[in-house]
Amino acid sequence: MEYLPNILFAIALIAGIGYFAKNVKKLIRNIKLGKAVDVSDHKKQRWQNMIRIALGQSKMVRRPVAGILHVIVYIGFVIINIEVLEIIIDGLFGTHRVFSSLGSFYGFLIGSFEILALLVFVAVIVFWIRRNVIKLQRFWKAEMTSWPKNDGNFILYFEMVLMALFLIMNATDIPFQNMESGNVISQFIAPWFNGASESTLHIIERLAWWLHILGILVFLNYLYFSKHLHILLAFPNTYYGKVKPKGQLNNLESVTNEVKMMMDPNADPFAAPAENDTEDVPEKFGASDVTDLSWVQLLNAYTCTECGRCTSECPANQTGKKLSPRKIMMDTRDRLEEVGKNIDANNGEFKDDGKQLLGDYISNEELWACTTCNACVEACPVSIDPLSIIVEMRRYLVMEQSAAPMELNNMMTNIENNGAPWPYNQMDRLNWKDE
Amino acid sequence: MSQSLKVPTMAEYMAEGKQPEILFWVGSAGSYDDRAKKITRAFVKLLNKANVDFAVLGTEESCTGDVAKRAGNEFLFQMQAVTNIEILNAYDVKNIVTACPHSYNTLKNEYPELGGNYNVKHHTEYIEELISSGRLKIENNSNLKGKRITFHDPCYLGRANEVYEAPRSLLKSLGVDLVEMKRNRRTALCCGAGGAQMFKEPEKGDQDINVLRTEDALKTNPNVIATGCPYCNTMMTDGVKAKEREAEVEVFDIAELIAQAENL
Ligand code: SF4
Ligand code: SF4
């Protein structure tokens, strides 16, 4: 029985990490449902972007208040988790504060963790106030109801509780308090427990210790279901993010091939397809569902933090249009999850569910409200490109469904007929010279 | 107004067996839209004044396809692109200057993959070059001196291609009082025309984007709202009208302001 806690600990650890690994596998499988896209270019710039934007949080601090608070939580959270290493060793081997033999350096480490924990605690409270008391507009848009709204708050509670447990655990740890080193913050919490007996203190300490580590394991597994996935995915996402000028949209290769065929006087339209031309299904232009998007766009969707910076800068959204770039990303993720679950439920095959991203999640009205201004792309702190999804879906609407608004059809007919979006004669193109 | 401009075409250059320094890509708006044509003429006056050897494609120019692409018609875009590239390459064009940020973006970023590789500049960048190389001189006694001017960043020049300073440095060289809107450069609000919106009614909402952006501009109390895009120009002009401020506030392209300062 003596080893019971160790065994329980090992089971919790394995279960926690195992379930997490299972979800990561699912995540990767879902992302790979996207179309292949070449991302082997600009290696150096990609690394730089990742270091600058994800690690250095360069885009977060453009909004200084939220930015600096976020940096605190981020650094605090990452560094304090070094402590988890000690917890795991202690838990598995029944030791107590195995690193405390490091002496004053240990004191220094734990001391810094305690300060960070307090800072994180305070920062998270400010975040909570911004969301729930000040009600910053971007957290109260149409798409931020039910789960997304709760999710945002759950994470804050989680962090508050984890930080509190960490400090309580230290405050009630008598040997640690007696060390008089590293208890920078917890020494002020210890007196709250003054009346308690040594054994009660020990129980509280153990309880806090267990809840802390179990909390971390639960948190780890919560990520997959939450916008908080960005703490992991921000890194690959900023690496694979757009490295071309923001104004540059990709040229559809399938269209290039067809246009070349049409323009080439030597091409024989009736020629039998070449031997290696295995694709007899005509290629679909644009995207009506998540599987028509590229895997980078799907990674984007999982990375989205739902911060709403994009939406708050979007000219369409600011003028009351239905479009919200954040919603585009959330819809993409929700639909992708739905497709993933469908695949799980049907032995690894997707079974048509009569639904798709276009129409069931994202409406034409939203898509046609976009001015392609790139404000959303510029604003996103983790290099997400909502615009690319909007354009891909417009392509489907126009090229597969001929469902452009009438005025746009007229405009396009004009371009076809006289090389300008207006119905003017091409021969009058130089008239301005003499007017 | 009908001062005669020297506007040679590529075909004329070709006939003489010569190559101009630059091709001036006029763009559809610059060719047909009444307001934008004034910008085109102003820019040509500057080119004439600086004795730049330039040419236009004239009737051989066709829409770049930008607006079709952004509306989702990739097919039409690439047809336009391939047609234009064929002509540009046949004339062996190397340098292109355009007063339209949409043409600029498309020619510069989207044509290369389709076989069109050119050195493309926005007219504000090119004018800045003409000034710094001494080919164009700005007399510093212009009637614009001391006027309050705010600059609206066109999305396709600014965010899309990160050209923020060329237009501003031109304005400063005119001795004007350059006042920035609260949202400027990379956080500038769109005028509402991009992504084919220019050619359709806005979707349902509670305000027009151009009016919101004009409000941004009016908060700086400007005499002039300057911009560098024919579409932005239309949108801001309409916005000023919607706010009934057209008596005090004018909307000009940077090329027009410089031409005015030069008394051209
Ligand atoms: S590109 Fe479209 S979605 Fe993004 S901010 Fe501009 S209008 Fe909104
Ligand atoms: S796309 Fe980027 S800016 Fe928009 S909500 Fe997601 S993380 Fe925030």
Side-chain angles (χ1 to χ4, degrees), chain A residues 322-339:
Chain A
K322 235 176 117 191
L323 172 64
S324 160
R326 167 173 55 190
K327 178 176 172 290
I328 300 285
M329 301 318 299
M330 292 167 66
D331 286 343
T332 305
R333 177 173 175 172
D334 288 349
R335 172 61 184 159
L336 181 54
E337 270 298 296
E338 189 177 51
V339 170

Side-chain angles (χ1 to χ4, degrees), chain A residues 432, chain B residues 1 3-6 38-51 54 136 255 259-260 263-264:
Chain A
W432 55 268
Chain B
M1 178 78 198
Q3 172 188 356
S4 90
L5 301 175
K6 253 192 2 223
K38 293 190 185 149
I39 303 172
T40 307
R41 292 176 58 89
F43 180 52
V44 167
K45 286 178 197 165
L46 295 177
L47 292 175
N48 284 167
K49 167 120 194 256
N51 279 318
F54 77 98
L136 190 66
Q260 275 177 32
N263 288 318
L264 292 173

